Amino acid sequence: MNSLRPIGIIGTGKYVPERILTNSDLEKMVETNDEWIVSRTGIRERHIAAEHEATSDLAYQAAIKALDSAGMKAEDLELIIVATITPDTSFPSTACILQDKLGAKGAAAFDLSAACSGFVYSLATATSFLQTGMYNNALIIGADTLSRITDYTDRNTCVLFGDGAGAVVLGEVPQGRGFKSFDLGAEGAGGSLLKLEAGGSRLPASQQTLEEKKHFIYMNGREVFKFAVRVMGTATERVLEKAGLDKTDIDLFVPHQANIRIIQSAMQRLELSEDKCVINVDRYANTSAASIPLALVEAAEEGRMKEGDTVLMVGFGGGLTWGASVLVW
Ligand code: UT7
């Protein structure tokens, strides 16, 4: 990977909808309480899309900021990938809708579906295209509007999710910087632990699927938790090894923001102090594909990375899937 041209992040942007749903708001909707939510998940509030906002609208806001920070015009973009499991429509893809909104007429555009691991999967995909010279730049966005597929009468899931988008522009960077390794994986056998059952070709939308609430997220939280703790550790170790590094080389750890307890267990295994870990699950909850880019972009905006720092991103999610990357900032 290192003999190919170096590809890294040259622009960043993020967007979260204005409306905030707090734990005390949820106390009025389902039988739950702030103490339970904070102690079990670390979440205090989450942002929820307005009625008129769909995933491409969130993605658009993040994208224009990323393009601006890269000093790039939309018409110069060559590739757009939107990582999402809540596309505006099954087709056209959200990436095509976004391409039109941005006026990125020359760009190839497609969605990538790997749930919460989607952003890292997309980074790996685009980096491969760019390293080989097939394209020279790419806009990668993790965007999800999970509130649209969340059952707000189910306390097991409705406290966990939020909406948002994070975007990066990828391009050639000086030697020594950029992406050093990726570790992507899947355990399809665990697919039924986290799913949205209806609305596809297996179980098309019908009166019955509506009545059975099969257009909402189903999750076996305990099993997903165990999977998450396991793969956060193993994926991190593998991606470091592929880059020829070890855990002491990590300057900033950017984990998927699903549950503070999952993040803490990874930090313990890596023997990382809190100042080396990005945590914003308290303010945004689990935003699926947007989670890692929201954390990364926020860290960049706060000046937490300096040139040459080793940044490790790692996530897990539906599929089941995981993805990790080592990036020299
Ligand atoms: O992006 C990937 C997506 N998913 C995840 O990362 C989720 C991974 N899993 C988790 O984060 C945790 O498993 C949860 C936060 C979902 C649940 O935490 P837990 O410590 O595993 O709790 P539990 O499922 O073992 O449930 C404990 C109790 C249950 O009551 P009983 O059966 O022991 O009487 C639940 O009914 O807590 C109850 N409970 C709640 N109580 C108050 C579940 N949700 C709530 C709630 N408020 N919102």
Side-chain angles (χ1 to χ4, degrees), residues 13-306:
K14 70 175 202 313
Y15 175 76
V16 288
E18 211 175 293
R19 184 181 155 218
I20 292 175
L21 184 70
T22 64
N23 289 352
S24 82
D25 294 331
L26 283 161
E27 284 175 2
K28 294 171 200 128
M29 296 159 69
V30 287
E31 205 185 316
T32 191
N33 57 77
D34 179 61
E35 196 280 325
W36 191 96
I37 304 172
V38 174
S39 64
R40 298 290 181 120
T41 70
I43 299 165
R44 293 181 186 278
E45 58 188 38
R46 64 289 288 140
H47 290 249
I48 304 292
E51 238 171 77
H52 65 272
E53 282 179 316
T55 297
S56 70
D57 301 310
L58 275 49
Y60 175 77
Q61 295 297 336
I64 51 175
K65 288 180 195 146
L67 286 170
D68 186 49
S69 101
M72 245 183 92
K73 292 197 192 86
E75 52 264 39
D76 296 329
L77 275 174
E78 297 184 5
L79 174 68
I80 299 173
I81 306 178
V82 177
T84 189
I85 51 162
T86 48
D88 289 24
T89 52
S90 288
F91 67 92
S93 69
T94 301
C96 284
I97 295 168
L98 181 65
Q99 188 238 28
D100 181 44
K101 276 187 189 169
L102 287 171
K105 287 194 176 128
F110 64 92
D111 288 358
L112 191 150
S113 170
C116 310
S117 316
F119 181 72
V120 179
Y121 263 72
S122 300
L123 289 177
T125 306
T127 298
S128 308
F129 282 157
L130 269 57
Q131 281 177 329
T132 57
M134 184 164 171
Y135 297 112
N136 293 301
N137 61 55
L139 172 66
I140 309 302
I141 301 154
D144 266 309
T145 315
L146 290 185
S147 63
R148 295 281 150 75
I149 54 167
T150 297
D151 177 1
Y152 285 96
T153 67
D154 174 13
R155 71 172 184 175
N156 289 297
T157 51
C158 75
V159 302
L160 303 174
F161 304 120
D163 302 333
V168 296
V169 178
L170 301 188
E172 190 165 357
V173 292
Q175 281 295 340
R177 292 171 62 188
F179 288 100
K180 298 295 169 193
S181 62
F182 288 100
D183 186 68
L184 308 179
E187 281 178 19
S192 61
L193 298 175
L194 179 51
K195 64 182 175 183
L196 191 143
E197 220 177 331
S201 59
R202 177 70 59 198
L203 201 55
S206 68
Q207 194 59 40
Q208 193 181 344
T209 61
L210 277 177
E211 279 160 14
E212 291 173 354
K213 295 190 167 189
K214 287 190 168 152
H215 297 273
F216 290 129
I217 297 170
Y218 163 83
M219 181 171 71
N220 179 332
R222 272 179 224 187
E223 288 305 315
V224 175
F225 191 97
K226 286 188 222 160
F227 166 78
V229 168
R230 173 165 57 86
V231 300
M232 289 280 275
T234 51
T236 301
E237 282 161 10
R238 266 197 308 269
V239 82
L240 281 169
E241 196 185 324
K242 286 182 192 174
L245 301 173
D246 72 52
K247 60 189 179 187
T248 59
D249 294 309
I250 301 173
D251 294 306
L252 197 69
F253 184 59
V254 187
H256 172 41
Q257 309 283 318
N259 185 319
I260 190 72
R261 292 186 290 143
I262 297 171
I263 297 173
Q264 281 164 346
S265 100
M267 281 168 63
Q268 260 171 17
R269 185 161 169 169
L270 297 166
E271 297 175 54
L272 280 179
S273 54
E274 260 201 32
D275 60 311
K276 289 194 169 180
C277 183
V278 184
I279 299 173
N280 62 17
V281 66
D282 52 325
R283 286 174 292 126
Y284 301 132
N286 182 348
T287 55
S288 189
S291 155
I292 290 178
L294 273 178
L296 180 81
V297 174
E298 205 158 77
E301 287 171 356
E302 289 167 5
R304 290 183 69 178
M305 294 92 106
K306 56 181 191 315

